Amino acid sequence: MEAMLVDCVRNSLSHFVYKNAIFMCERLCAEFPSEVNLQLLATSYLQNNQAYSAYHLLKGTQMAQSRYLFALSCYQMDLLNEAESALCPVNEPGAEIPNGAAGHYLLGLIYKYTDRRKNAAQQFKQSLTLDPLLWAAYEELCILGAAEEAAVVFGEAAALSIQKQYMQQLPTSLGLNTYNEERNTTSAKNTSSEDYSPRQPKHTQGHGLKDISGNFHSHGINGGVSNMTFYNTPSPVAAQLSGMAPPPLFRNFQPAVPNQNTLTTENSPKSTVNSTIQAPAPRRKFVDEGKLRKISGRLFSDSGPRRSSRLSADSGANTNASVATISGNGNNTSKYLGGSKLSSLGLRSVTLRKGNSWANENMDEGVRGESFDDSRPNTASTTASMASSDGKSCDQEDEIMSQKITIGVSEILSLLRTLGEGCRLSYMYKCQEALDMYMKLPHKHYNTGWVLSQVGKAYFELIDYLEAEKAFRLARQASPYSLEGMDIYSTVLYHLKEDMKLSYLAQELISTDRLAPQSWCAMGNCYSLQKDHETALKNFLRAVQLNPRFAYAHTLCGHEYATLEDFENGMKSYQNALRVDTRHYNAWYGLGMIYLRQEKLEFSEHHFRMAFLINPSSSVIMSYLGTALHALKRSEEALEIMEQAILADRKNPLPMYQKANILVCLERLDEALEVLEELKEYAPSESSVYALMGRIYKRRNMHDKAMLHFGLALDMKPPATDVAAIKAAMEKLHVPDEIDESP
């Protein structure tokens, strides 16, 4: 019953019928209370998004798997201290982390969100050492900025580790040959007898439900029942030495003329007993009951708890009982065998054993059973030669499989090296190098949703919004229901002022998944583009509510608060983003902007500097860092930063404009005019460029040119605040006392 319930629960989980899995697992725990069964129930709760149920169920448990599941429940409930205590018990400082690579990965996440980045990186590296294919750990290392080059992580050491894991699952040549030799010896000793041994059912149970049912289906029907020479029980020593499960019982089976009655009814468990009753019983010799029990005791002294001692005892004691009596005890047999298919196998075994020789149980005592058919030829040499050839063929199969594993590992790691290096470069904000790396991918991998989203993010960081929009659009086509990177895509459309596309994207994402933070970020960007900042803020707050660990949602909240001039809440939002991800440079930049507007220049410079250290290739960050330095009267440093910003992105007009401003303040007007003339080519419709040129001409008393450029600036419909400033400058064009106003 227990095995049936476990199988039912696992089957329900595999088919995502979580309600049934929970119900049946509750029955299992009620009938067979054990911590292992509690683990299965907790797994059902976790997969049904009921972490709180798993938490209360496993609290106080001690087994390794229980501690892992409890820690996972705590992590999902944001109880990070309890999760850490479960994985690393305080009273057992040297305890091993449960679940290997997965346990170290979970502990790394806990360290990451408790602001212990070095410990987190160490755990992620350990998980990769144990399982080089745990991509999520490498991606977390990239996010932390602590990832090694992908060629090192997914190199020769990783290949050897993976090959070792997979080769251990193959039967080793030593274990297989040892088993075949022993089987050959056993076959040679028993060529004149059919060994229907009482040992066989118990040996069969030792493999467990899954192995038995597989072997029975693959051989029992074809081979018949009445001529099973493979009932000789092989020694488990070879299997233990090789570290493998024993080979299938029915290998090298050479069926003689099958029993027709048995063959016709083999597929029906209900008809097995009847067919066996109708079969004529062969001659048999009896063994003393006490001697049989002595033999059975020696054979099964090391049997596990699931092996039935009742079955052998009853069988040995009732050698003269009828077959009908045995069939009447079928329910008891099935209780130990664990299922209907297994029960029918057990019934067949017991029935044959009753009807055939018991005397071949102890070869050393000189007692041997008689054969079914004296005319059947001796098969010792045939069986031995077939076993030898079978061993050679198995060696060849192992060698072929080993080659396939080596090739497969090489191909996987080659792919991961390219993807990993691209991911690492992206998180280091070496975006052009990352794009070059992604271009090395095969066509079928490049045109997947994840890769195209990464390409879109790289173009976004390069301020190439048109190419970013194209990449994200292709990602949507490749994976229309994936939300990976869609928050960034909505920001790209926001910068491009594509209000129709942004509105359509937001509605599509909401209809796809209303519980994803990316959907509400897109909706918030849509309202922000329409200048409805309060509604935008509500949508961003909804994204934060759905996933408090989504750093970009916190940052977008901060942007909206800053726009609404609620600087206090804006700073809180940016700080929350940094608690989630200390390398989220957008939050450092946002804090720097707030401090700059509040004229807290030292704080502003510090936060811009932090953002610059994380993303040293962003021309926008460098521009505002230069602005902060200029405000701090460190104009030479500011000019150097502006030069770096211009070199980083010549298409970005901001650093060139700020450089011109600094040059004007340093009274280097000719240089400022040269910069602005060049800037007009990149931003021909930027009103602030013409306004600044008008101020320079005004200072040089070139009033006609000044008036011309002020007029051009007004024609480009600048913001209301700029319009007022330009008109004021035009009115005071001939007033020399006002020319020294700094912009």
Side-chain angles (χ1 to χ4, degrees):
M1 179 178 176
E2 182 177 8
M4 292 178 67
L5 286 172
V6 169
D7 186 61
C8 175
V9 172
R10 290 178 176 168
N11 186 59
S12 298
L13 290 175
S14 66
H15 291 90
F16 311 103
V17 190
Y18 300 131
K19 184 177 181 181
N20 188 68
I22 292 171
F23 176 81
M24 297 304 292
C25 204
E26 286 178 347
R27 309 284 74 72
L28 172 67
C29 292
E31 187 72 26
F32 304 99
S34 70
E35 191 167 329
V36 175
N37 291 336
L38 286 180
Q39 293 170 7
L40 189 58
L41 180 56
T43 302
S44 304
Y45 281 135
L46 285 170
Q47 294 195 25
N48 198 40
N49 294 323
Q50 293 180 244
Y52 50 88
S53 299
Y55 170 84
H56 292 290
L57 188 71
L58 294 175
K59 193 167 187 177
T61 52
Q62 297 299 323
M63 291 179 66
Q65 180 66 11
S66 300
R67 291 192 288 118
Y68 175 78
L69 293 172
F70 180 72
L72 191 59
S73 305
C74 294
Y75 174 78
Q76 293 184 12
M77 297 171 67
D78 206 27
L79 303 173
L80 300 183
N81 290 332
E82 286 191 61
E84 182 182 353
S85 299
L87 293 175
C88 305
V90 179
N91 54 352
E92 299 179 25
E96 185 177 353
I97 304 298
N99 260 29
H104 285 283
Y105 173 72
L106 178 58
L107 186 58
L109 290 176
I110 294 168
Y111 285 146
K112 173 187 173 182
Y113 292 122
T114 52
D115 200 22
R116 288 174 285 177
R117 298 174 66 249
K118 289 184 179 179
N119 291 339
Q122 184 180 359
Q123 293 300 321
F124 291 138
K125 289 177 181 177
Q126 181 64 27
S127 65
L128 275 173
T129 302
L130 296 173
D131 183 4
L133 297 182
L134 190 57
W135 167 263
Y138 186 74
E139 191 170 13
E140 288 294 339
L141 283 171
C142 293
I143 293 171
L144 291 173
E148 296 179 285
E149 291 185 7
V152 176
V153 177
F154 302 110
E156 293 182 4
L160 292 174
S161 176
I162 298 170
Q163 287 177 18
K164 183 179 179 181
Q165 292 175 15
Y166 278 87
M167 291 302 293
Q168 286 176 351
Q169 299 175 12
L170 296 176
T172 60
S173 300
L174 175 63
L176 188 60
N177 291 336
T178 305
Y179 168 71
N180 285 333
E181 288 174 5
E182 184 174 347
R183 188 168 53 183
N184 295 342
T185 305
T186 309
S187 300
K189 288 181 180 180
N190 295 283
T191 52
S192 61
S193 66
E194 299 293 339
D195 187 7
Y196 298 108
S197 167
R199 291 175 290 179
Q200 187 273 335
K202 296 182 181 179
H203 176 77
T204 305
Q205 290 176 32
H207 285 280
L209 178 63
K210 186 176 180 180
D211 293 338
I212 296 171
S213 60
N215 290 336
F216 170 65
H217 281 294
S218 60
H219 300 276
I221 296 175
N222 296 331
V225 178
S226 60
N227 291 307
M228 294 185 180
T229 60
F230 47 81
Y231 270 6
N232 295 318
T233 306
S235 170
V237 176
Q240 293 171 359
L241 288 175
S242 63
M244 296 294 302
L249 292 177
F250 300 166
R251 202 163 189 166
N252 289 347
F253 168 51
Q254 288 288 313
V257 180
N259 188 320
Q260 298 297 326
N261 292 333
T262 306
L263 282 176
T264 56
T265 58
E266 187 69 32
N267 291 326
S268 174
K270 295 182 179 179
S271 61
T272 304
V273 176
N274 295 332
S275 65
T276 312
I277 293 174
Q278 294 172 5
R283 291 173 293 171
R284 58 184 178 181
K285 293 184 180 181
F286 290 86
V287 180
D288 185 278
E289 179 180 336
K291 187 181 295 182
L292 183 63
R293 288 183 177 177
K294 191 182 300 181
I295 296 166
S296 178
R298 287 202 302 271
L299 287 172
F300 298 106
S301 59
D302 295 330
S303 298
R306 292 182 64 87
R307 296 176 179 174
S308 170
S309 58
R310 289 177 53 189
L311 189 59
S312 61
D314 292 345
S315 301
N318 299 312
T319 54
N320 293 322
S322 64
V323 175
T325 305
I326 297 172
S327 64
N329 291 332
N331 292 334
N332 294 333
T333 306
S334 65
K335 177 179 179 180
Y336 294 95
L337 295 173
S340 59
K341 294 179 181 178
L342 217 50
S343 303
S344 63
L345 178 61
L347 284 172
R348 279 194 288 271
S349 303
V350 175
T351 304
L352 287 168
R353 196 173 56 203
K354 286 292 184 178
N356 297 304
S357 174
W358 290 92
N360 54 7
E361 191 61 33
N362 192 343
M363 300 301 296
D364 295 336
E365 295 180 11
V367 183
R368 298 191 53 141
E370 297 178 3
S371 62
F372 280 122
D373 190 354
D374 295 337
S375 63
R376 205 167 106 187
N378 191 322
T379 59
S381 60
T382 305
T383 307
S385 62
M386 290 192 64
S388 177
S389 63
D390 183 63
K392 292 180 181 178
S393 65
C394 287
D395 291 340
Q396 294 176 356
E397 290 176 3
D398 290 351
E399 185 176 353
I400 293 172
M401 185 60 69
S402 176
Q403 292 175 357
K404 289 183 177 179
I405 289 174
T406 303
I407 295 171
V409 168
S410 176
E411 291 175 348
I412 291 173
L413 290 180
S414 175
L415 180 63
L416 289 180
R417 279 193 291 270
T418 306
L419 289 169
E421 191 62 16
C423 183
R424 186 182 73 89
L425 292 170
S426 292
Y427 282 105
M428 291 177 66
Y429 300 100
K430 298 179 179 179
C431 298
Q432 190 57 55
E433 296 177 39
L435 290 172
D436 295 339
M437 185 59 64
Y438 286 131
M439 289 299 294
K440 297 179 181 179
L441 287 169
H443 184 74
K444 56 189 175 184
H445 285 286
Y446 184 86
N447 288 314
T448 56
W450 186 87
V451 174
L452 289 170
S453 295
Q454 297 301 311
V455 170
K457 289 179 183 178
Y459 279 122
F460 170 75
E461 296 296 346
L462 291 172
I463 323 294
D464 192 345
Y465 297 132
L466 291 175
E467 287 296 325
E469 193 274 335
K470 180 181 177 182
F472 280 121
R473 189 174 69 251
L474 291 174
R476 289 286 294 165
Q477 293 175 4
S479 302
Y481 300 108
S482 173
L483 302 182
E484 175 70 31
M486 291 301 104
D487 48 327
I488 304 297
Y489 185 23
S490 67
T491 303
V492 169
L493 295 176
Y494 172 88
H495 286 297
L496 292 174
K497 302 188 185 305
E498 294 278 4
D499 52 349
M500 292 296 293
K501 288 184 180 180
L502 180 54
S503 177
Y504 181 70
L505 174 67
Q507 292 180 26
E508 272 197 325
L509 295 180
I510 289 291
S511 63
T512 300
D513 189 356
R514 293 181 61 86
L515 300 180
Q518 294 92 335
S519 303
W520 294 98
C521 286
M523 189 64 74
N525 275 329
C526 184
Y527 281 107
S528 182
L529 184 59
Q530 297 170 9
K531 308 300 181 185
D532 188 352
H533 297 291
E534 292 183 354
T535 307
L537 180 59
K538 291 179 182 178
N539 285 276
F540 293 141
L541 289 173
R542 173 60 174 159
V544 169
Q545 183 185 31
L546 289 169
N547 186 358
R549 297 191 181 111
F550 196 70
Y552 193 50
H554 289 286
T555 299
L556 291 173
C557 286
H559 291 341
E560 293 304 313
Y561 279 125
T563 303
L564 295 170
E565 297 188 351
D566 187 351
F567 296 138
E568 183 179 356
N569 284 320
M571 292 174 65
K572 288 181 181 178
S573 294
Y574 291 133
Q575 289 164 356
N576 288 333
L578 292 174
R579 288 191 186 97
V580 175
D581 182 6
T582 55
R583 295 188 74 250
H584 190 63
Y585 78 90
N586 311 70
W588 290 106
Y589 162 81
L591 285 169
M593 289 296 294
I594 288 179
Y595 285 125
L596 186 62
R597 292 174 67 176
Q598 291 178 336
E599 297 185 357
K600 297 179 180 179
L601 302 178
E602 291 84 359
F603 289 138
S604 175
E605 189 252 339
H606 168 74
H607 287 84
F608 284 135
R609 184 80 65 181
M610 291 298 297
F612 175 66
L613 291 175
I614 296 168
N615 185 0
S617 60
S618 173
S619 62
V620 176
I621 294 175
M622 286 187 272
S623 299
Y624 282 104
L625 176 58
T627 302
L629 290 171
H630 173 57
L632 288 168
K633 310 299 182 184
R634 294 156 61 183
S635 298
E636 293 301 326
E637 289 183 54
L639 280 176
E640 291 179 7
I641 291 291
M642 292 302 176
E643 288 292 346
Q644 294 181 32
I646 293 169
L647 292 174
D649 183 12
R650 289 194 172 273
K651 296 180 181 179
N652 184 9
L654 182 60
M656 297 181 73
Y657 178 78
Q658 295 290 2
K659 179 183 177 182
N661 259 328
I662 296 171
L663 290 171
V664 169
C665 293
L666 294 175
E667 298 295 332
R668 294 157 63 176
L669 302 181
D670 292 335
E671 293 180 46
L673 279 174
E674 290 178 7
V675 173
L676 291 172
E677 287 291 342
E678 184 182 357
L679 181 56
K680 280 165 58 176
E681 298 178 6
Y682 293 105
S685 58
E686 187 64 46
S687 62
S688 57
V689 174
Y690 294 94
L692 183 56
M693 292 180 73
R695 292 191 184 98
I696 293 173
Y697 285 124
K698 181 182 176 182
R699 281 197 179 188
R700 299 180 67 177
N701 295 320
M702 301 171 67
H703 302 299
D704 293 339
K705 285 189 175 182
M707 186 63 70
L708 173 64
H709 284 84
F710 284 140
L712 290 172
L714 288 175
D715 290 342
M716 292 173 186
K717 297 181 180 179
T721 53
D722 291 346
V723 169
I726 293 169
K727 287 183 176 180
M730 293 174 69
E731 291 173 358
K732 299 176 182 179
L733 187 62
H734 299 284
V735 180
D737 294 336
E738 300 294 328
I739 62 173
D740 58 348
E741 286 183 353
S742 59

